[in-house]
Amino acid sequence: ILLLNRRGFSSFVTCRGCGERVECQNCSVTLTHHRREKRLMCHYCDYTEPVPSRCPKCASEHIYFIGSGSEKVEDQLRERYPKARIARLDRDSVRGRGQYEHILREFREGAYDILVGTQMVAKGHDVANVTLVGVVSADVGLGMPDFRAAERTFQLLTQVAGRAGRGELLGEVLLQTLNTDHYAIEFAARQD
C-alpha cells in the first residue's frame, strides 16, 4: 500500500513568467490539476475549469505544474513497474460505495499488487497479504491551518502503518518526510 494524502496530479498550477497561481474564483485557494480529466479543481467547493494553455494574468505560455497527488504517484508506479497490477483508491477514482468495496475486495483477493491512494487506503482494512506500506510526504498534513494538524497526521500514519503485517508475514512501513524530528512523525514511527 502506498499513501499520499493529496488528490489529483499536481498540487497547483503557476506561471513561470509572472508567478500567478491559478485560484478558485469562489474560495481563493489554488486549484488542483487533475490530468486525466484535463481540468483544474477546487477541493473545497468542487469548482472546475479547463487547464489553461496560457497564464490567465500575463498570457505567458510558461505554465508550470507543482507538487504531486495520488494520480501522479499512480502514473509513476506504472512507469517504474510496468508489470505490476495497480489500483488507486481516492475520491477521484471511486464513484460510489460499491466501487470502493469492489477495489478493496479485489486487492484482498490478490487482483492487484499495489494499492495507492489517499486516506481511504488507511482506514480499517484487514488485508493479510500486505507486507509493505509506504507513505509519500508523510508530513503533508502538518502544514494544514488547523490546530489539530499534528494529531491528525499522527492518526493517519498510525492507521496506515497498521495495514502492514496483518497476516502471517511480517510487515514493514516506510515514511518519507522532511520533518524527521517532528513529534507527530516520531511518535507515529514508534507506534507510540
Side-chain angles (χ1 to χ4, degrees):
I1 295 177
L2 193 59
L3 167 75
L4 171 56
N5 202 27
R6 180 80 57 206
R7 292 168 41 211
F9 190 83
S10 302
S11 303
F12 63 93
V13 179
T14 189
C15 173
R16 287 185 290 180
C18 71
E20 181 76 6
R21 293 181 180 196
V22 182
E23 294 183 346
C24 176
Q25 67 182 10
N26 302 318
C27 303
S28 298
V29 297
T30 56
L31 296 175
T32 301
H33 176 223
H34 292 256
R35 188 168 80 170
R36 289 194 185 122
E37 296 179 15
K38 298 181 177 120
R39 65 184 178 143
L40 302 179
M41 181 178 182
C42 176
H43 288 174
Y44 292 100
C45 73
D46 292 330
Y47 166 80
T48 64
E49 65 180 56
V51 177
S53 58
R54 294 182 168 274
C55 174
K57 183 177 180 183
C58 74
S60 169
E61 295 177 348
H62 302 288
I63 301 295
Y64 192 60
F65 300 88
I66 297 177
S68 296
S70 55
E71 183 183 353
K72 187 174 191 176
V73 170
E74 178 191 17
D75 286 357
Q76 290 172 333
L77 285 170
R78 289 187 190 284
E79 286 176 23
R80 177 85 166 113
Y81 305 104
K83 294 182 181 179
R85 299 165 299 164
I86 301 168
R88 190 173 95 231
L89 194 59
D90 60 23
R91 204 172 104 190
D92 300 320
S93 65
V94 174
R95 303 289 182 213
R97 186 161 178 80
Q99 191 174 9
Y100 171 81
E101 292 171 355
H102 176 74
I103 291 171
L104 282 175
R105 183 176 62 255
E106 286 192 330
F107 182 62
R108 193 174 294 111
E109 293 170 356
Y112 299 114
D113 302 308
I114 302 171
L115 181 63
V116 60
T118 58
Q119 64 185 349
M120 294 174 93
V121 302
K123 308 285 181 162
H125 313 305
D126 190 4
V127 182
N129 60 344
V130 174
T131 56
L132 178 64
V133 167
V135 181
V136 179
S137 299
D139 41 19
V140 72
L142 294 174
M144 299 300 289
D146 183 344
F147 70 93
R148 297 165 294 198
E151 179 180 351
R152 289 181 177 184
T153 297
F154 169 80
Q155 289 172 341
L156 182 61
L157 295 177
T158 302
Q159 286 171 337
V160 76
R163 303 308 104 216
R166 297 181 74 82
E168 292 184 23
L169 299 173
L170 293 177
E172 186 176 1
V173 180
L174 302 174
L175 303 177
Q176 178 195 46
T177 180
L178 297 172
N179 296 297
T180 57
D181 58 348
H182 191 283
Y183 66 93
I185 302 292
E186 285 181 350
F187 285 123
R190 292 196 311 253
Q191 291 288 290
D192 182 351

